[in-house]
Amino acid sequence: STSMPLADVHRLRRRIHAGEVTGPRILTSGPLIDGPGSLHDYLVVTSPQQAVTVVDSLHREGVDFIKVYELLSREAFAAIVAAARYHGLAVVGHTPVAFGDPGEALDAGMRSLEHSEKLRILCSSRRADVAAMIRRSEDLWAVGDSTTARQVWEESTEMSLLSYDASTCEAAGRALARGGIWFTPTLTLDLRSAPPVLEAEETVFRDPSFRYIPRPTLEGWRRRYRSAVIDTIAGGYAPIREQAQRVLALVGAVHRGGAAILAGTDGSA
């Protein structure tokens, strides 16, 4: 569990352990840590000293690991990794854009790589160019220019997929394996709009397991699904299907290289 309020996590854990509800073993990071300009309700740190204070506090509150986000400075990130290591906590999450190339953040101490877009950088023969475009997109989001940010993001996606190199990707998988770094591709984000995923909304949300999902979360998923359907219909199926197949090739290549894969949906619950 990442970003779920710690009080809620602890309460649910107690109920599971007491046999009041059926549930899994839950590991949690508590709130995510981000830098200035964060677009989310995360813990924002502006200095290495503040970063250490936040990690110390999360450790006292009983987190199992630390999750970071994209707008951290290099200095704050390094302080987080050092403080987490002191407490025996792994650091996972989004590689900060300050590093440009996600490989730098992994070398600096992250224990996981989240989402296929970061893998696209590692698997590209134009690694520096793709990283620069993603960094520019994030900068544009931070200043509120969402239209240009989305356009640059789409261009970076196209460039990375067209410059995919299987041998480079397998080498990235070997590097992840040597570093003990897990990869969470969250493929549902890439495949949710690709046939045969496009089904009638009520068919998709008829799954009986959805009764365990909080209503606000489920409604958010419905809104996102409707948006995905509209975007797919407007853009046509062929490009989306092709992109999905390219992403699957990336994940397959990095796994052949030896990278360990974690299942994840990016859904909060």
Side-chain angles (χ1 to χ4, degrees):
S1 170
T2 60
S3 78
M4 185 175 178
L6 278 171
D8 293 345
V9 174
H10 293 323
R11 187 180 307 111
L12 181 55
R13 276 175 167 170
R14 287 193 296 269
R15 296 189 67 199
I16 292 172
H17 292 162
E20 297 175 10
V21 295
T22 300
R25 178 189 177 206
I26 300 174
L27 301 178
T28 183
S29 68
L32 277 66
I33 308 176
D34 203 4
S38 178
L39 302 178
H40 306 278
D41 186 22
Y42 297 157
L43 297 175
V44 173
V45 299
T46 59
S47 69
Q49 295 76 16
Q50 187 182 14
V52 171
T53 298
V54 166
V55 172
D56 290 345
S57 175
L58 290 173
H59 175 256
R60 287 193 299 271
E61 293 182 54
V63 302
D64 302 290
F65 58 96
I66 300 295
K67 184 168 182 180
V68 298
Y69 211 65
E70 298 178 348
L71 296 181
L72 287 167
S73 67
R74 285 173 173 263
E75 295 76 16
F77 175 81
I80 288 169
V81 171
R85 186 176 291 130
Y86 175 80
H87 292 298
L89 300 173
V91 176
V92 307
H94 291 214
T95 54
V97 295
F99 286 94
D101 189 317
E104 297 179 52
L106 298 176
D107 291 341
M110 287 193 71
R111 298 272 63 84
S112 74
L113 178 67
E114 316 299 336
H115 306 308
S116 65
E117 72 265 14
K118 299 302 173 68
L119 180 63
R120 292 199 295 263
I121 301 175
L122 298 180
C123 293
S124 172
S125 60
R126 301 182 62 182
R127 188 163 167 170
D129 294 334
V130 174
M133 291 184 72
I134 290 179
R135 186 166 57 247
R136 179 169 176 249
S137 174
E138 296 286 350
D139 289 343
L140 290 166
W141 276 111
V143 298
D145 188 355
S146 59
T147 300
T148 309
R150 188 174 291 107
Q151 179 182 346
V152 173
W153 177 266
E154 291 172 355
E155 291 171 357
S156 76
T157 298
E158 182 177 10
M159 177 188 291
S160 63
L161 292 177
L162 291 176
S163 59
Y164 160 71
D165 181 76
S167 60
T168 299
C169 207
E170 291 184 19
R174 290 192 291 274
L176 293 176
R178 284 195 302 272
I181 298 165
W182 290 76
F183 172 48
T184 312
T186 55
L187 284 172
T188 185
L189 297 178
D190 298 287
L191 305 181
R192 65 186 177 189
S193 299
V197 174
L198 270 182
E199 304 176 55
E201 180 178 332
E202 290 310 316
T203 300
V204 171
F205 289 92
R206 192 180 298 150
D207 188 326
S209 63
F210 281 176
R211 68 178 181 272
Y212 299 111
I213 305 300
R215 183 173 297 278
T217 299
L218 193 57
E219 288 305 311
W221 289 358
R222 283 183 178 272
R223 288 192 296 271
R224 290 172 65 180
Y225 187 80
R226 292 167 193 154
S227 175
V229 169
I230 292 171
D231 290 346
T232 301
I233 293 173
Y237 291 104
I240 293 173
R241 185 186 298 114
E242 181 179 355
Q243 177 173 322
Q245 292 304 312
R246 289 180 182 273
V247 169
L248 288 173
L250 290 168
V251 176
V254 79
H255 185 53
R256 286 194 300 275
I261 306 295
L262 278 174
T265 66
D266 205 41
S268 58

